[in-house]
Amino acid sequence: MFHILHKFEGKKIVLGSGSPRRKQLLDMLGLKFSVNPSQFDERSLDKSQFEHPMEYVEHNAERKAMEVASRLNPDEFDLLIMIQLLFKMRRF
């Protein structure tokens, strides 16, 4: 994966999250990016309307990305990164 990072050089990358951990992950990759957190309220989504948790995660990420993109001019970014996490707990 790391062998493709050079392809992002000179690209305008936007991280659509205010999470310090997500910022740290991109910093660890050596990417240059700006941070523009989404203002989409994920509480507005009714989780019961999604058949599988992954569908909710994907829809939530898409809505957040659309919200950030709507506030930016197209020439302000080449790549918009949204990171959603899904944790699955198993009983031991």
Side-chain angles (χ1 to χ4, degrees):
M1 177 182 103
F2 297 108
H3 65 280
I4 66 166
L5 290 177
H6 72 278
K7 294 184 178 191
F8 297 106
E9 290 177 15
K11 301 291 185 195
K12 298 177 212 164
I13 302 172
V14 174
L15 172 61
S17 171
S19 163
R21 179 65 179 144
R22 288 164 179 78
K23 181 182 179 306
Q24 181 185 32
L25 289 171
L26 294 185
D27 282 336
M28 287 170 48
L29 292 174
L31 295 175
K32 293 184 180 177
F33 60 95
S34 62
V35 176
N36 197 326
S38 172
Q39 297 172 7
F40 175 71
D41 184 0
E42 60 189 70
R43 294 173 297 179
S44 68
L45 295 178
D46 179 5
K47 293 178 185 175
S48 67
Q49 71 179 343
F50 300 95
E51 191 171 328
H52 299 286
M54 193 62 188
E55 290 175 4
Y56 168 77
V57 170
E58 290 172 351
H59 188 76
N60 192 28
E62 182 178 313
R63 296 288 299 269
K64 287 181 173 184
M66 289 172 31
E67 189 283 319
V68 172
S70 74
R71 290 186 283 114
L72 299 173
N73 292 320
D75 63 340
E76 289 183 279
F77 66 99
D78 298 310
L79 176 65
L80 174 57
I81 297 176
M82 304 301 297
I83 302 171
Q84 286 296 124
L85 299 175
L86 174 65
F87 291 96
K88 182 177 179 180
M89 301 290 288
R90 293 190 299 172
R91 289 188 162 174
F92 293 99

